[in-house]
Amino acid sequence: MTAQTAYHGEMGEQFAARATTSVYNAYTDRPAMLRLAGDVGGLHVLDLGCGAGHYAAELLRRGAARVVGVDGSESLLRAARARLGDRAAALHHHDLEQPLTFLADGSFDLAVMALVHHHVEARARLLSEIRRVLRPGGALLVSTTHPTADWMYFGGSYFADDRVTLPFGAGHAISYRRMTVETFLGELLGAGYVLEELVEPRATEDARPVDPGRYEKTHRAPTFLAVRVRRP
């Protein structure tokens, strides 16, 4: 994530542990994004906001040739290194508000940005940078908080674009910017991507015994929005 919004210190450690089994992370967002990824055999993948390495580990398990992870939190990168072991060489500590100057043009087949986009302020520049490092025909997967979920939780106008905070863990808070579906998709299309698929993820059946209440919640009201777009 960005230097300002990354999950630093104890907050990062709490998130790394929670993301392993959380209904929202492990059983809702992650399965949806991995399904959107499709067959990753032999692909070079960029994992932006890689967190504790859960996506990278699964992408490598599914046959990706190489996964490069980028995150603004050293706490999460430590967790990612522990998870990936000898496959963790390609992890970078970097603020996603800044250009990806350390990555070469056209060097990736697929980019993954899971629950990160709404934290970033310089989104237009980041989307342009991702387009630069993707090969022609390469895909970008993006998930974000569902605009309707934010409206239901924070209230006010659905069209509000204020920065909000959400309590997390023991005394921490997550900061991100609200946006409408129109804004979310408009930024992606405006950056030159072509929409291939849009999903509103619900928790998989495996989540039901883990947390029945949250499982049911994801099937009653929207939680996340995820898309697969392509660089022409």
Side-chain angles (χ1 to χ4, degrees):
M1 292 191 187
T2 74
Q4 292 76 29
T5 60
Y7 302 167
H8 298 293
E10 182 188 354
M11 183 177 177
E13 293 167 4
Q14 288 185 29
F15 178 79
R18 183 173 295 192
T20 303
T21 57
S22 160
V23 167
Y24 297 130
N25 296 101
Y27 296 104
T28 306
D29 184 68
R30 203 145 63 232
M33 289 285 272
L34 291 168
R35 186 189 68 76
L36 287 175
D39 181 6
V40 298
L43 299 188
H44 289 247
V45 183
L46 175 62
D47 184 0
L48 292 160
C50 65
H54 292 90
Y55 288 86
E58 184 61 22
L59 290 163
L60 288 165
R61 189 189 72 80
R62 295 182 179 207
R66 185 168 185 257
V67 178
V68 173
V70 182
D71 203 278
S73 166
E74 278 290 3
S75 296
L76 287 173
L77 288 173
R78 281 195 296 273
R81 291 185 191 103
R83 175 163 282 102
L84 297 172
D86 59 5
R87 301 170 297 175
L91 294 176
H92 299 270
H93 183 223
H94 180 74
D95 184 349
L96 293 180
E97 300 286 2
Q98 303 302 319
L100 304 171
T101 53
F102 55 97
L103 300 176
D105 294 2
S107 51
F108 295 96
D109 306 294
L110 175 68
V112 177
M113 190 159 56
L115 302 179
V116 174
H117 183 73
H118 50 292
H119 291 283
V120 180
E121 290 295 318
R123 293 186 303 278
R125 179 167 62 190
L126 178 57
L127 291 173
S128 177
E129 280 289 273
I130 297 170
R131 193 176 190 276
R132 176 183 65 79
V133 302
L134 280 174
R135 63 167 179 79
L140 166 63
L141 313 181
V142 186
S143 62
T144 188
T145 61
H146 199 292
T148 301
D150 286 336
W151 183 32
M152 293 170 64
Y153 183 85
F154 294 107
S157 170
Y158 168 80
F159 297 99
D161 62 355
D162 53 323
R163 197 162 188 95
V164 295
T165 56
L166 193 66
F168 173 81
H172 302 290
I174 296 169
S175 170
Y176 64 92
R177 187 166 294 281
R178 291 171 65 174
M179 64 185 77
T180 63
V181 174
E182 179 181 23
T183 298
F184 175 63
L185 291 179
E187 290 180 352
L188 289 163
L189 299 178
Y193 296 94
V194 176
L195 179 64
E196 292 191 329
E197 188 172 356
L198 180 150
V199 296
E200 295 171 302
R202 274 82 91 191
T204 63
E205 190 62 29
D206 291 340
R208 191 192 290 271
V210 175
D211 190 329
R214 286 192 171 93
Y215 168 85
E216 294 293 342
K217 183 179 178 181
T218 70
H219 286 260
R220 289 195 312 269
T223 304
F224 301 129
L225 188 63
V227 297
R228 178 185 173 103
V229 297
R230 174 176 49 82
R231 178 197 165 179

